Amino acid sequence: MAIIKPFQAIRPTTDKVAHVVSRSYQNYSRRELNAVLSYNPFSFLHIINPGYKYHKNVKGQERFQLVHNRYLEFLEDNVLTKDPQDSFYLYQVESAHFNCSGLFCAASVNDYRTNVIKKHETTLQRRESLFAKYLETVKFNAEPVLMTYEDNEEIARILAKERGRPPAYYFTTTDKVTHRLWTLSDKKTITSLQSAFANIDSLYIADGHHRSASSNLLAENSERHNPSHTGNEPYNFFMGYLIPDSQIRIFEFNRMVKGLNGLSKEEFLIKLDALYRIENQGDILYKPTKKHHFSMYLDGEFYSLYLRKKVYQFTDALSKLDTQILYKTVLEPILGIHDLRKDKRIQYGHGKHNAIKMKDAIDRGRFTVGFGLVPVSIQEIKAIADAGLVMPPKSTYIEPKLRSGLAIYEL
């Protein structure tokens, strides 16, 4: 039973929304970031890069406090305003290649603790603690946790009806993505959605494991220091964006490795031959097409690798995952990469032209060998989360990637 709550969002005013919302700041090049900060005074990037105002790089608690200050300035200047009543927010993203509709809501920290909200990635305690301290200081969520749920006819019917109304926001950003947002404040609609989600057994985190873990840590810390704790305080919830399984898009991360762990090319191929049927595909761009099938680029040539299933045993949902198979058969035992998060010999790539970029990086000598995979499916993600297992890092690149500053949840 999934609990969702409406909330009074802090949102950009209608005339400025297209100027306020931003991509995640990590997705901007340094030049692009400076251009936005220089020429767009309304960008949410000013809030999360507060040192720009003083031409200074700020870190740690000083940065957190300045983020809070910039946020207050945006409220004081009426760039951001608080909605007068609790609402859900239906948000649609549409481009030439992608379309999804989801719901901004307040998700329950208790659901996270009791595994109604399910995870498939591990989190780093250091990052959890740092972001919990950030939330405690800035006092808002601006980036929702992306979660999926099993397609549901009743939820789809309610949201389709709401999309028939004029949206509160309707704008297109410079990347040719069209954004629409509806406020759902009618009490009957809110109750209907809450009842429908009460019949959903599980929500699955698609993107935002550290954000949800940090929100849980913040709630634990806040409860300890609040003798009047009731369970209804804002810190007991975090902002989520919920979409049905069928509307999520999952892409693969390729793997690129420096060196062959002291092996010659021939020695490396012979070791691979024990676990894979290897076919040389020449210099023509080659990508895998099915599960347990990999592409490899080495010394100017592509290879197809077909897993020899008689020498690899499937024991659970994780053992069937291609990223885990590659790790257990090649990256760890042959190439000596034990820590996929920290080993500097391995890097990851994603994107429409990633196979070409991987080839180019290897041809330039930055890496020695690269591996291509097919994308993980939503069914695989759910099977691993249901089993309480954890996927290797960089197993999925998931869309939609949501804008910051479109809806803000105050803590």
Side-chain angles (χ1 to χ4, degrees):
M1 175 178 173
I3 297 172
I4 62 168
K5 283 185 61 175
F7 65 101
Q8 292 175 267
I10 307 297
R11 298 191 289 119
T13 56
T14 306
D15 62 317
K16 298 183 182 68
V17 60
H19 302 295
V20 172
V21 298
S22 70
R23 306 192 307 273
S24 176
Y25 78 93
Q26 295 101 330
N27 291 333
Y28 291 85
S29 67
R30 173 55 58 183
R31 178 178 292 182
E32 188 180 13
L33 181 64
N34 286 336
V36 174
L37 292 172
S38 296
Y39 298 108
N40 180 3
F42 304 121
S43 174
F44 193 78
L45 291 171
H46 282 283
I47 293 178
I48 55 179
N49 293 269
Y52 180 82
K53 180 175 182 179
Y54 301 105
H55 307 288
K56 178 184 177 183
N57 289 324
V58 290
K59 297 180 180 179
Q61 187 60 35
E62 182 183 24
R63 175 177 174 268
F64 300 167
Q65 187 59 55
L66 287 175
V67 167
H68 179 66
N69 296 349
R70 295 291 83 70
Y71 172 67
L72 293 180
E73 287 176 4
F74 270 51
L75 286 169
E76 291 161 0
D77 293 341
N78 290 319
V79 177
L80 300 174
T81 60
K82 187 172 186 175
D83 279 348
Q85 55 190 325
D86 286 341
S87 303
F88 290 126
Y89 300 88
L90 172 59
Y91 173 49
Q92 182 179 43
V93 183
E94 184 178 7
S95 69
H97 308 290
F98 184 55
N99 189 346
C100 78
S101 295
L103 199 68
F104 282 112
C105 67
S108 167
V109 165
N110 190 59
D111 279 357
Y112 178 88
R113 294 171 182 167
T114 58
N115 212 35
V116 172
I117 295 175
K118 295 189 175 183
K119 314 93 182 164
H120 66 263
E121 290 184 5
T122 55
T123 54
L124 302 176
Q125 187 174 5
R126 182 186 61 80
R127 288 187 62 189
E128 284 183 32
S129 299
L130 182 66
F131 195 58
K133 187 64 177 177
Y134 171 83
L135 293 175
E136 182 182 3
T137 304
V138 305
K139 302 184 185 335
F140 64 80
N141 281 164
E143 294 185 355
V145 175
L146 176 64
M147 293 181 277
T148 72
Y149 58 89
E150 186 176 1
D151 285 57
N152 180 284
E153 290 184 4
E154 178 63 12
I155 296 172
R157 182 191 65 78
I158 296 171
L159 298 186
K161 180 180 178 182
E162 294 299 322
R163 286 197 300 273
R165 299 188 294 107
Y169 294 152
Y170 180 12
F171 63 97
T172 300
T173 42
T174 53
D175 54 359
K176 299 182 180 179
V177 176
T178 298
H179 309 262
R180 296 178 178 87
L181 183 137
W182 293 262
T183 58
L184 280 52
S185 54
D186 175 71
K187 290 185 178 179
K188 182 178 179 181
T189 301
I190 289 172
T191 301
S192 296
L193 281 169
Q194 289 179 312
S195 297
F197 273 99
N199 293 319
I200 299 291
D201 292 331
S202 301
L203 301 175
Y204 294 84
I205 298 176
D207 192 12
H209 283 81
H210 278 94
R211 291 193 293 276
S212 51
S214 301
S215 295
N216 178 53
L217 182 57
L218 172 70
E220 290 177 349
N221 294 339
S222 299
E223 181 177 347
R224 277 198 301 270
H225 293 94
N226 182 7
S228 303
H229 174 83
T230 65
N232 294 316
E233 295 87 355
Y235 59 71
N236 293 290
F237 299 86
F238 59 90
M239 186 165 63
Y241 179 71
L242 313 182
I243 63 172
D245 292 345
S246 60
Q247 293 189 24
I248 198 167
R249 291 185 67 184
I250 306 172
F251 300 89
E252 75 282 4
F253 274 96
N254 290 348
R255 275 88 168 112
M256 296 170 287
V257 179
K258 297 178 182 179
L260 296 178
N261 197 27
L263 300 171
S264 67
K265 173 184 172 181
E266 291 72 21
E267 290 169 334
F268 175 62
L269 290 173
I270 288 171
K271 285 185 175 292
L272 276 183
D273 190 69
L275 291 160
Y276 291 90
R277 179 164 60 86
I278 306 171
E279 295 180 2
N280 190 318
Q281 302 293 336
D283 59 359
I284 297 175
L285 188 68
Y286 180 79
K287 297 183 70 174
T289 57
K290 58 184 179 181
K291 296 294 180 185
H292 316 328
H293 170 207
F294 305 91
S295 67
M296 181 176 72
Y297 186 68
L298 172 67
D299 195 24
E301 294 179 308
F302 282 95
Y303 296 82
S304 59
L305 306 180
Y306 296 89
L307 181 67
R308 298 188 192 277
K309 296 180 183 177
K310 289 186 178 181
V311 297
Y312 181 88
Q313 189 174 7
F314 297 133
T315 57
D316 55 23
L318 180 60
S319 70
K320 298 175 184 177
L321 195 71
D322 282 349
T323 51
Q324 180 74 357
I325 292 171
L326 188 66
Y327 172 60
K328 285 298 184 181
T329 60
V330 181
L331 299 178
E332 184 180 43
I334 300 177
L335 295 177
I337 295 174
H338 303 284
D339 191 331
L340 293 171
R341 295 183 183 276
K342 296 181 179 178
D343 197 313
K344 294 182 180 180
R345 290 175 295 157
I346 186 168
Q347 288 193 24
Y348 306 89
H350 66 84
K352 182 178 179 182
H353 303 294
N354 187 51
I356 296 173
K357 292 177 181 177
M358 180 179 73
K359 176 183 182 300
D360 182 62
I362 294 169
D363 288 343
R364 290 173 179 268
R366 293 181 56 215
F367 301 95
T368 308
V369 62
F371 301 93
L373 302 81
V374 297
V376 172
S377 69
I378 186 64
Q379 290 76 23
E380 288 177 299
I381 291 176
K382 293 172 72 172
I384 287 170
D386 286 342
L389 300 171
V390 175
M391 298 169 68
K394 301 296 183 182
S395 287
T396 58
Y397 180 85
I398 292 177
E399 289 185 347
K401 295 296 183 188
L402 301 172
R403 294 304 202 273
S404 298
L406 186 68
I408 298 170
Y409 175 74
E410 285 197 318
L411 296 166

